[in-house]
Amino acid sequence: MIVLNGGSSSGKSSIARRLQELLPEPWLHLGADTMVAALPERLRSGDGGDGIGGLEAGDGTVEVGPVFAALDAAWTAGVAAMARAGARIVVDEVFLGTTASQARWRAALEGLDVLWVGVRCDPAVAAAREAARGDRVPGMAAAQAESVHRGVSYDLVVDTSRATVGECAGLVLARVTAPR
């Protein structure tokens, strides 16, 4: 397992796709966007506070309701079960709960070989990418750029505002394929 954690528009998905090209074995790419896309619309709209809010309007912060949190925990356990069944997985995540998010993933992935990668990006660069994409809530990239890393520990940190996606993926590849 490779777990990439970073804010919105930091380059996690681009790194994951590049890793899929570079890694000698097939790896699945799953992440926060996969989970959110699988939700019923009513849990993505933020209505009622059960799902995930802040994805359509606001200051760029995301609020997580109890139903979303329960489904997210089930999602994490399911991804871990796939890894235990032999699937190689690159997860791109946004640790909104910082250390609590990582603790949840660590518990689910206990006993598995996991590379924890922090994907950093200068807030201004992430905000510019967000604006160019046009499919994100304005302000989300800047709001998450630093906050998702607070207290989180990594085996490797890459910075997509200082290195290309290919260079960042190469650093991850080197760690995954290094002799142990």
Side-chain angles (χ1 to χ4, degrees):
M1 287 272 315
I2 301 169
V3 177
L4 306 172
N5 175 53
S8 179
S9 300
S10 64
K12 301 176 306 296
S13 295
S14 296
I15 291 170
R17 285 190 296 273
R18 185 72 179 118
L19 283 168
Q20 286 181 305
E21 296 170 5
L22 296 171
L23 288 160
E25 300 290 330
W27 286 65
L28 299 175
H29 170 211
L30 302 170
D33 288 344
T34 314
M35 163 60 179
V36 170
L39 291 171
E41 179 59 36
R42 71 181 179 276
L43 292 179
R44 283 183 274 158
S45 67
D47 295 340
D50 285 337
I52 187 164
L55 299 181
E56 295 174 2
D59 62 2
T61 59
V62 177
E63 296 177 11
V64 174
V67 173
F68 176 86
L71 290 171
D72 194 34
W75 163 263
T76 302
V79 171
M82 289 171 48
R84 284 193 174 79
R88 292 172 182 85
I89 303 171
V90 180
V91 171
D92 83 66
E93 259 294 346
V94 180
F95 288 173
L96 295 173
T98 63
T99 56
S101 295
Q102 186 175 37
R104 181 173 42 84
W105 274 100
R106 280 193 188 279
L109 301 175
E110 188 171 347
L112 294 172
D113 189 14
V114 181
L115 178 66
W116 298 92
V117 180
V119 180
R120 292 195 168 270
C121 185
D122 180 89
V125 173
R129 290 178 186 166
E130 173 184 79
R133 288 173 70 164
D135 66 346
R136 294 288 190 252
V137 176
M140 190 178 291
Q144 295 175 356
E146 296 298 327
S147 66
V148 300
H149 298 290
R150 285 191 196 113
V152 177
S153 60
Y154 300 110
D155 300 311
L156 175 67
V157 175
V158 298
D159 187 332
T160 63
S161 54
R162 302 189 194 296
T164 67
V165 165
E167 291 166 339
C168 292
L171 292 170
V172 176
L173 176 69
R175 289 295 294 269
V176 171
T177 58
R180 295 172 197 238

